[in-house]
Amino acid sequence: MPPGAVPEQARRLPADFTDPAEAAAFVRQFHAELPGAADPQPRLRRVLDEIDRTGSYRHTPEELAFGAKVAWRNAARCIGRLYWRSLVVRDLREVHDADEVARGCFDHLRLATNGGRIRPVVTVFAPDRPGRPAPRLLNAQLVRYAGYQDPDGTRIGDPAGTQLAARARDLGWKPGEGRFDVLPLLVQERPGERPRWYELPEDTTLEVPLAHPDHAWFAELGLRWYAVPAISDQTLEIGGIRYPAAPFNGWYMGTEIGARNLADADRYDLLAEVAGRLGLDTSSDRTLWKDRALVELNRAVLHSYQEAGVTMTDHHTESERFLKHVAQERRLGRPTPADWSWIVPPVSGGLTPVYHRYYDPVDPSLRPAFVARSPW
């Protein structure tokens, strides 16, 4: 058999087992990118033999760390990829039990929060194995606010959290009925099994009360947001292995909160309230009251996180950093796939350097990657 070729018996494995071609491509990439790495052929033969015998294989700790970091590097919707090498990778692949998954998530938040100096962290729980699906986290993020809707249609809280709040309530969770109730963590250990819910301990959820540098009344709105945006509804795919529970966080860019979470009509929808407090003429869109309210809302977010000592970047700074990342990757001969509609900030996009250029096309087959999680 030629060096690196995929054995015929491995190619005949069912599609829901680990793809030996993907495994082989990852092993080669791992050895090609790491200076001083050994000849990949011995490792490649062991991996393909393990897949042939068991239907899958196990990453070494070094392969896991490399794969998780490259998955961040390949994240076409993320503007903050300059720091992909700094990702802290927590290896919890032996964890299947729901209670232990929850504890691992809480420890993730404590480590990532770091007293406000946010660390990029990924926690990798058990992978899907032939005949043994791994646990799933049902939350979109480890920390998010609940949403409720009264029978008369009145909305309270974050509409993005309405569905999960209802499910958690059906499982026995007692909501607080406030605008910023932190959702519990829902873990499903096996297909068809009733999920378990876990209240987040106080020391896992650092929140920032929002105030404005010029308007004292802003604090009276009672707004706040959490410090760590830990995405938890994606599967980490590395070399044909799927890790369906792999919560990952960087840190916030201010516009994610000020221009989307708090401003979008299908989220907290606060622009009219802020505009009213500012005394703006809201009789016509031509007065640009929405634009003016949006800028002040974003000023409040940036100001508040800075005052609280919590890591946050602004869209101008992060745009410059992203182009630095693109230049670094180009020098190394690597493309930087980017979804323009996500990379360009939702405030003053045309004033940022990421607006005025094209990017490498997004390749949905690029791996390692964080991908949408498939059903059980």
Side-chain angles (χ1 to χ4, degrees):
M1 184 176 67
V6 178
E8 180 62 31
Q9 64 268 33
R11 291 200 295 269
R12 291 198 299 267
L13 283 170
D16 60 339
F17 282 32
T18 299
D19 184 345
E22 290 187 27
F26 172 71
V27 170
R28 294 190 188 100
Q29 181 184 11
F30 174 79
H31 284 80
E33 287 199 27
L34 293 184
D39 178 1
Q41 293 307 317
R43 173 59 177 159
L44 187 57
R45 284 192 292 269
R46 290 194 298 273
V47 165
L48 295 178
D49 177 68
E50 189 175 349
I51 294 174
D52 187 35
R53 289 183 293 102
T54 70
S56 190
Y57 70 105
R58 180 179 173 84
H59 289 128
T60 67
E62 295 78 15
E63 288 170 346
L64 181 71
F66 171 78
K69 292 176 182 181
V70 173
W72 185 12
R73 189 179 79 194
N74 288 338
R77 292 181 170 184
C78 179
I79 195 174
R81 285 177 270 169
L82 177 62
Y83 302 104
W84 66 272
R85 293 180 183 84
S86 69
L87 181 65
V88 176
V89 181
R90 303 178 66 233
D91 184 353
L92 271 67
R93 286 178 288 170
E94 301 305 319
V95 173
H96 289 266
D97 177 76
D99 291 349
E100 292 183 22
V101 170
R103 283 194 290 271
C105 290
F106 300 154
D107 288 341
H108 175 120
L109 288 170
R110 294 182 183 105
L111 178 65
T113 301
N114 190 32
R117 299 182 64 183
I118 309 300
R119 294 187 182 106
V121 178
V122 63
T123 298
V124 185
F125 293 104
D128 282 337
R129 304 287 291 182
R132 188 179 185 184
R136 265 67 168 165
L137 300 168
L138 304 189
N139 304 60
Q141 297 185 22
L142 294 185
V143 182
R144 205 164 200 177
Y145 296 122
Y148 318 104
Q149 186 161 335
D150 290 340
D152 64 0
T154 302
R155 298 187 311 186
I156 302 172
D158 188 348
T162 302
Q163 186 175 2
L164 194 70
R167 189 164 189 182
R169 193 186 319 211
D170 289 343
L171 294 170
W173 177 61
K174 304 299 182 184
E177 304 291 348
R179 293 178 82 188
F180 297 97
D181 294 340
V182 176
L183 283 162
L185 186 70
L186 270 61
V187 183
Q188 190 169 8
E189 200 171 302
R190 297 179 183 84
E193 189 171 271
R194 183 179 175 88
R196 303 183 205 176
W197 64 272
Y198 302 86
E199 203 79 64
L200 271 67
E202 277 191 29
D203 68 338
T204 66
T205 311
L206 176 61
E207 295 178 278
V208 178
L210 302 185
H212 194 282
D214 298 328
H215 302 296
W217 53 261
F218 196 97
E220 299 170 4
L221 299 177
L223 307 178
R224 61 179 182 267
W225 207 258
Y226 49 89
V228 178
I231 306 299
S232 53
D233 62 351
Q234 295 184 330
T235 291
L236 172 61
E237 286 195 6
I238 304 172
I241 296 181
R242 296 179 293 273
Y243 299 97
F248 158 75
N249 73 274
W251 49 73
Y252 267 120
M253 185 166 73
T255 54
E256 295 178 83
I257 301 170
R260 301 303 310 275
N261 299 334
L262 295 178
D264 279 354
D266 61 350
R267 298 294 298 283
Y268 276 87
D269 195 19
L270 289 171
L271 290 186
E273 185 174 0
V274 172
R277 291 282 196 141
L278 288 168
L280 302 179
D281 177 4
T282 61
S283 62
S284 168
D285 287 346
R286 290 176 62 87
T287 67
L288 302 185
W289 66 269
K290 294 179 183 178
D291 309 70
R292 295 170 65 188
L294 188 66
V295 168
E296 296 308 322
L297 187 52
N298 279 271
R299 286 186 67 203
V301 170
L302 288 169
H303 165 77
S304 300
Y305 274 66
Q306 181 173 328
E307 289 296 298
V310 175
T311 304
M312 170 174 280
T313 187
D314 65 86
H315 51 292
H316 296 286
T317 300
E318 207 57 44
S319 294
E320 296 283 356
R321 289 173 177 169
F322 182 68
L323 293 189
K324 182 178 179 182
H325 168 69
V326 172
Q328 287 181 354
E329 291 297 294
R330 184 187 299 115
R331 286 194 296 271
L332 293 168
R334 293 193 294 250
T336 307
D339 185 333
W340 190 93
S341 65
W342 280 73
I343 296 300
V344 174
V347 175
S348 305
L351 300 180
T352 63
V354 295
Y355 180 92
H356 304 279
R357 56 164 296 148
Y358 295 102
Y359 298 97
D360 293 312
V362 176
D363 178 1
S365 67
L366 186 63
R367 296 294 185 274
F370 290 97
V371 301
R373 188 164 57 222
S374 59
W376 289 97

